[in-house]
Structure formats: C-alpha cells, structure tokens
Amino acid sequence: MSGTMPSAQQLAEAAALLEAGQIVAFPTETVYGLGADAENPEAIARIYAAKGRPSSHPVIVHVVDGADLSYWASEVPAEAERLIAAFWPGPLTLILKRAAHVPAAVAGGQDTVGLRCPSHPVAQALLSRFRRGRGGIAAPSANKFGQVSPTTAQHVRDEFGEGVFVLEGDGVDVGIESTIVDLSRLDQGVGPVLLRPGAITREMLAKVLGVMPALPDAAAPRVSGSLKAHYAPHTPLAMLDAAGLATQLATLNAQARVAWLGWTEVKDPRVTHVAAPASAEAYAHALYRTLRRLDREHYQYLFVEAVPADGAWDGVRDRLQRAAAAFNG
Ligand code: TXA
Ligand code: MG
C-alpha cells in the first residue's frame, strides 16, 4: 500500500464535518464508505437520503482499532473476542446486541448493532481523529441504493457529484464488502450465523470459532444485500458455463455485442472476452470496477463464466448471483 494519502488538513476537515453532523466518504480495505456520526440520528438520516436507501436498513458502525466495544454492544461474547483477535482490524463485521444508548437509527430499528474495525490506514486515521477516537462512524457502502459498491474515489464522485466530501486513499484492495457474522442470538441457543460472505471465508471463521457458522434462516437479522437487485449493474448479467454461453449466442442475431468475463476462450466475433483473474482474491479486487466499466460499454448482456464451487469463491459468487438475480424477474 502506498501513494495517495490525504493530508492532515483534509483528515481534520473530514473529522470536523462528521462532528458537525455532515456526511463524508472514505476508503476502507473493502469498498468506500459513506460515513456519518453513528450517535447522531439526523446525520444518519443524511446517509439514507443521499443513498436513496430505506431507513429500515441497518448500517455498520466503524470503530477505531482498540475501541471499547462494551460502549456499543450490551454484550461482547467470547466468540466475538476470538474473531476480533484473529481478524480485526480487517474485513469482518460482527452483529452484537446494541447498547441501549446507541441510536436505533443505525440498526434500522433492530436491537442489534453491526460493528467493524477497518484496516485501511485512511479509515483508521479518520476514526482516531473523529471525536478523538471515541466515536463510531456509521457507514454503508458509498453507492446509491441498488448499485454496485465503489472501489475508487471517482466511483463515489460519479454517483454523488461534488456535493459529498471524499477522502481518497489507495489500498481498497479487497474489492467486495466485509464478511458479516451474527453473534446476537447466542443466548437464545442460535450459534454464529454468516449473514454475508466475504474475503474472510466460512472456513476461516470456523477455524477460530470451532464451529462452522450457519447460513441465514428466516429469523436472522435483515441484511440489505440479501434483497434482489442489490449489487446490480445496468446491463443484464447471467452466470453460465461455456456450453451455456454457446446456447445463448445461438439465440442472438449477428449484430449482438456481448461481454464474456471468464477463463474459457470463445471464438465468436460478437463476444468481447474479458480475462477473469485466476484467484478469488484478485477476482474480488477487480469485480466492481470491471462491472462498472463493462456497464459503460453498453453490451447487450454481460455473461460471466460460473466461478469455482469452493468456499474461497463464496463472496464473489454471492455478489454475482445477486447481480444476476436482479434480471431474473
Ligand atoms: O465492507 C463493508 O462492510 C462496507 C464498508 C464501507 O465498511 N460497508 C457496507 O455497508 O457494505 P452496507 O450498508 O452496504 O452493508 C452493510 C450490511 C447491510 O446488509 C446491513 O443490512 C448489514 O450490514 N447490517 C448492518 N448492521 C446490521 C445489524 N445491526 N443487523 C443486521 N445486519 C446489519
Ligand atoms: Mg452496500
């Protein structure tokens, strides 16, 4: 990680804006966030308004490295302590029971709170200046509701214009949103639940927890990413194998222009082949940037080669399935 780092003056300005109840976009190691003071319901309302997001959707509270979690959560179970020791600062969000004084507005009215300690140095620098490190920054991904998350400052400006203050920073390396684990119902006998897969995989969590986190059930806290039409590019997207692509191409006319994000070579003049990265990490890193670029190139379809079935690909597969689901009715 090197290159762009905001000046001390820009960081001070961003912290002052947050303290005044305004919103500020900032880089994290996953995607850019659109931040506001987590203890100021009016500031949180500004995030919802800017994003065009329903206010029933909870947002993640970002905290500085070493923050006292008992301030934010009414209970910090041993499972949380273990995951924090293993993965914070880093791309993991924990859902815990919310402390009574934390505004319900950050949790979309639920009795829980999502907590994340990002590893990105700009996020940490901002968190340590904002309220001298004692505050929390509520921040969803810095995109309009239903769009793919931004991985560059330019993506943020493309969506919000110059009206939103944007801190810049290289090192938005992960490229997809944090893994979310619900630990809020342990006292009801419900073990850890993986609400959203990400760079920290189910297997990595299982190694630390000693149990495989369950997949969400109907009673699990709501996650807006689980709505259809989340993470969606504008161009219709489908995931298929090379044989499925051939079947699709047979239905299209000679003028059709489609993009194929995959590993298998396709010899058809209508197809623009976009080489897919080999590792899940590299694929995730490039995914949203690639979807935004291909969207601007106005293909009739984005065809994506089915990604490997193993756990390392769960995060990428989840985002692609949601993007595809947006066009399946
Ligand atoms: O990597 C990330 O997590 C990025 C960066 C900016 O930190 N943030 C992000 O935020 O992806 P957002 O709002 O786009 O997604 C947050 C997810 C939502 O699906 C939301 O429902 C869930 O976290 N969430 C937040 N607080 C929650 C809570 N108390 N209970 C259940 N789900 C919660
Ligand atoms: Mg989001």
Side-chain angles (χ1 to χ4, degrees), residues 28 30-33 51 53 58-60 62 93 95 106-107 110 112-114 116 139-141 176-178 180 195-196 221-225 230:
T28 82
T30 57
V31 300
Y32 272 77
K51 277 184 70 90
R53 180 190 218 191
V59 290
I60 294 170
H62 298 70
T93 297
I95 309 298
V106 286
Q110 302 183 67
T112 54
V113 62
R116 164 157 138 72
S141 50
I176 58 172
E177 305 83 349
S178 61
I180 304 181
L195 296 182
R196 181 171 72 185
R222 299 184 308 270
V223 170
S224 65
H230 214 69

Side-chain angles (χ1 to χ4, degrees), residues 63-69 84 88-89 117 124 133:
V63 295
V64 76
D65 193 11
D68 175 11
L69 291 199
I84 287 166
W88 277 14
C117 178
Q124 282 295 329

Side-chain angles (χ1 to χ4, degrees), residues 123-197:
Q124 282 295 329
L126 180 61
L127 283 161
S128 63
R129 279 167 183 76
F130 172 60
R131 297 230 202 131
R132 298 211 195 111
R134 291 195 203 89
I137 302 179
S141 50
N143 52 282
K144 292 269 166 82
F145 186 60
Q147 303 303 312
V148 298
S149 296
T151 52
T152 67
Q154 190 56 47
H155 293 163
V156 180
R157 285 192 286 264
D158 288 348
E159 286 195 35
F160 296 101
E162 299 298 325
V164 169
F165 186 96
V166 185
L167 279 178
E168 302 210 19
D170 298 337
V172 182
D173 289 334
V174 176
I176 58 172
E177 305 83 349
S178 61
T179 302
I180 304 181
V181 178
D182 176 29
L183 298 173
S184 70
R185 294 179 296 158
L186 298 178
D187 60 355
Q188 296 159 49
V190 181
V193 179
L194 179 68
L195 296 182
R196 181 171 72 185

Side-chain angles (χ1 to χ4, degrees), residues 7-8 24 27 35 128 138 143 153 155 161 165 201 215 231 264 271 278 300-301 303:
S7 65
V24 167
S128 63
N143 52 282
H155 293 163
F165 186 96
T201 64
L215 297 174
Y231 312 119
T264 306
V271 177
Q300 197 167 339
Y301 293 100
F303 290 127

